[in-house]
Structure formats: C-alpha cells, structure tokens
Amino acid sequence: MSTKLFELLLQASIYTVTISVVSILIGFAIAIIVSAMLLSRQRLFVLPGKIFISFFRGVPLLVQLLLIYNLLPVIGINVPSIVAAIVGLSLCTAAYQAENLRGGFASVPSGLVESAEMVGLTPMQIFRRIKAPIALRLTFPALVNEAILILKASSLVSVVGIVELTRMAQDLAGSTFLPLEIFASAGLIYLAINWIVALAGGLIERSLPGVPR
Amino acid sequence: MMMKAKSLLTGLVGAAFLLGAAFSAHAADTLAAVKAAGTLKVGTETAFAPFDYIDAGEHTGLNVDLFAEIAKELGVKIEWVALPWDGVFPALEAGKFDIVAGPATITKKRMERYRFTPPIAEATIAILKKAGDTTISKPADIAGKTIGVGKATAQLDQLKEFSDTLPTKVDVREYPAFTETYADLAAGRIAGVANSLPNIAFVASQRKGTFEVVLPPFGKKSYFGFIGLKDADHAPLMDAIDAAMLKIKADGRMAELQKKWFGASFDTPDAVKDPAF
C-alpha cells in the first residue's frame, strides 16, 4: 500500500476525531443538564429527563442519524451533513453520559454531605467542593470509555454524507482492490487514536481531586 | 379530558404544518434559489465507476466532468454530497440536494415519482465474471450460480426478472455498493456481478486479467439519467438542466465524455418517455 493511501486515511480520520471530540464535549454539557433534571426533586423535570434518556439510549444511533438528516427537513429544519452527524452523536452520547453522571452523584456518600451541612457549608459550596469533584472522579473512567465508544460509533456518520475513516477505507478498498491492507491500516489508526484517548484519560484521572486512593 | 387531548393534538399538527409551510415558502423556485446561492447541490454515491468513484482519494468520473459542463452552462458551482445509494432518494426528497447524479436506470416505477434528465448512457444489464472462468460463456450460464448486485438498484430487478426465465434460479446476493461486489468477485466469493454494461466494461478495462465481460447484454434496452424532483417548485431547475444537457449533447461534448469514460460513445434519445420496464 502506498503512502498516499495511508495519508488519505489519516486525512479522513481528522473527521473522525473532530466529530467525536466535539460531540463528546457537547454531549457532556447536555448530560450535565439532563442529569440535573433526573436528580431534581421536581417531577416536572424528572420525566422529560427520563424520556430523553429512553429515546436516545433506546433508538440505534444509525436510525437517529437518518432521522435527523432526513426527517427534520419535513418540519423545515434542513441541517447540513456535518451538523446532522454532530447532533446525532452528541444527543446519543448525552443520554449515556447523563446516566453515568446521575449514578456518580447518587454515589456521593450521604455522610460526607451531612458532615458538610453540619459544619455550615452552603448548598452551593457543598456542590462545588464535595459533590461535583467526587461525582466527576467516580464517573471519569466511564467518560473515557464513552469517548472511545463514540470514536468507534462515528464510523456510522457516513450515512449522512461524511467521508470519515471507515468510509474512506471502503472507498479506497473499492477502487484499489487492496481491502486487507487498507482495512488493517484503518484498524491501526482507530487503535492508535483510542490508545491516546485512554492514555490521556488515565493521566487526567490521576490528577483529579476527589476520593484519595 | 379526551376533548382537551384531541384539541391539543390538532393544535400541534396545525403548528407543524404552519412551520413547514413557512420554511418551504421561500424555496418555491429552486432555479432562482440555486442561482442566488451560486451552487447546485448534487447528491450521489461514490461507488459507481465510471460515473462516480474515488480514484486514490479524488472524486472523479463521467458525472464529475458532465456536471462541470452543466455548471458552466448554468453559471453556478457544483457541491457534491456523497451518500450510500439507498440513502440518496430519501435525502433528495428531504431537500438535501437539488438533483441526484447517480445515475439511475430510467424505469416506469421511478418515473412515476421522479423526473429524469435526458439519458446519458445505455444501461442495459450484463454480467462480469472472473477472467478465465470457462463455466460462464453466455448470460444464461449464471443459472444456479451466486451473482452479486447492488441493493435498491434497477439492475437487481432486471437480474431477478432474468433469473425467473432460467431453469435453475440465480442465487442473488445484494450489496450496499457495487464496489463491494467487484471485491467479492475478485476474492472468488461470488461467480459474477450483474450491472449495466458501461459500468462493468469500465471495471473490466481497469482490471484486465482479473475480470471479463460476458456478452451479449441481456434483458430489455434501458438508459441512465439523472434524477430530480417532479413537483412544480423544481420544474424551472430541471428544465434548465435538461436544456444545458441537450446543448452539451448537441455540440458533441457529451459524446467526447462518453468516449473518455466508456471507450465508446452511445446513441441515446433526447428523452425517454416510455421505458421498457
């Protein structure tokens, strides 16, 4: 396989990485809101949060992408391919991340919170200094895991017209008749990206404040 | 309670329609919209050589050259959107692009729903086999063999129709794109590929010693055209594209492109009114 083909795969993987990273970040922002809704004492907020999670966790990502790309125009919202891809991945990962965060906040030992109340910390201080750091520490490994899952799931966005790593590999395999070399290279690129994500995740995790080991 | 739910539903449906109408109102004349944007959006799949394919990462083929000429005639630029073939028609209807390059075989069923441009090539179906495969020397020899074909294609329908006339039926294997059928044929997983003659003639010429065309083509004579929407909004745009294509055909540019990509030019009618199937 020529270096030109490998370069093309690397170029396509820029889409894979960019779309995944942007989606993970947007998804995390949405997940914070959704998990707050789930943990709210107001039933008015809990139900929409639950519906959001059931839908985006229950419908296959491929179907979500096609819905966003082909069905939204029916109500007048015609999004370009790249937007459809990011919206689809973000909403999907938001549902999983929200569940993780909810679990993380629910696992904060109630004794810690009660002690903090006893020494007179305000609810805001308790959230910032006790709940949020511990929940983040508890959910961080799951967040790294989710990032890796989304990087791999991004191979689905070719159905809305994005030529990312998997699609480029398919196109090149089709035109060069070198499927073995090309798919092996694509696999190695995915592996390298995810290895970097896992490594970076491990480093960040060690520097996080929270429950000491 | 019942009444309330019902009126709420009516309200929602009404609101959705109003919203849809408000957004679609400004898209009434697509030709004006395309000219104003300066871009004609063209949807296609990039796995249908020699019409649209990826050559070492570059989107190339007859369609790319032909749409470059059409763009010159209309005074606009072309923006390509590459989708898997079975996603191309839903996306056309969703307004993701103005026209589908594909091209697609002109069939009665498709003409009921879509509008075709003047044909750009013959689409009559033929078989591609592995070079040196002596078990297939004429189309009827594919009886009982496994033949690959693209999913949701007119070639699939033609192959099935042909299969029904054979003593033993063909084992039809459907693929998301034709490039995968060629890969499987090269790997020996299937005995042949059924696709339109221009396509397989191109593939065979690119991979001499690997593939061979089984002649003659079989089934009814058919043609390839580009596909647009049939509604009144799209009529001015489709009229303009038709006119541009007929001009390109009349001054010999079309024949030149056919020679470049198929090795021969085709005599095609200006319009297909009554397709064979």
Side-chain angles (χ1 to χ4, degrees), chain A residues 8 69 73 78-79 160-161 167 175, chain B residues 23 46 54 56 82-83 94-96:
Chain A
L8 289 166
Y69 192 64
N78 201 343
V79 290
V160 298
R167 175 64 183 276
S175 60
Chain B
F23 275 97
T46 47
I54 304 292
L83 291 179
K96 291 295 171 185

Side-chain angles (χ1 to χ4, degrees), chain B residues 94-112:
Chain B
K96 291 295 171 185
F97 28 77
D98 308 301
I99 188 168
V100 170
T105 309
I106 303 173
T107 65
K108 282 196 178 94
K109 219 163 81 187
R110 283 175 176 162
M111 274 182 90
E112 279 169 20

Side-chain angles (χ1 to χ4, degrees), chain B residues 103-107 110 116-124 154-155 158 196 220-226 266-269 271-272 274-277:
Chain B
T105 309
I106 303 173
T107 65
R110 283 175 176 162
F116 279 92
T117 64
I120 54 166
E122 215 187 295
T124 312
Q155 290 81 10
Q158 291 176 70
S196 299
K220 295 160 191 153
K221 198 165 195 166
S222 55
Y223 295 95
F224 276 128
F226 301 137
F266 291 82
D267 194 22
T268 53
V272 175
D274 189 25
F277 57 93

Side-chain angles (χ1 to χ4, degrees), chain A residues 15 19 23 65-66 68-70 73 78-89 156-163 167, chain B residues 41-43 79-84 91 95-97:
Chain A
Y15 273 102
I19 289 174
S23 302
L65 286 166
L66 289 170
I68 290 165
Y69 192 64
N70 288 328
N78 201 343
V79 290
S81 296
I82 187 92
V83 176
I86 289 174
V87 168
L89 281 179
L156 294 174
V157 303
S158 65
V159 296
V160 298
I162 307 272
V163 184
R167 175 64 183 276
Chain B
K41 284 193 186 169
V42 187
E79 185 187 321
W80 290 96
V81 182
L83 291 179
K96 291 295 171 185
F97 28 77

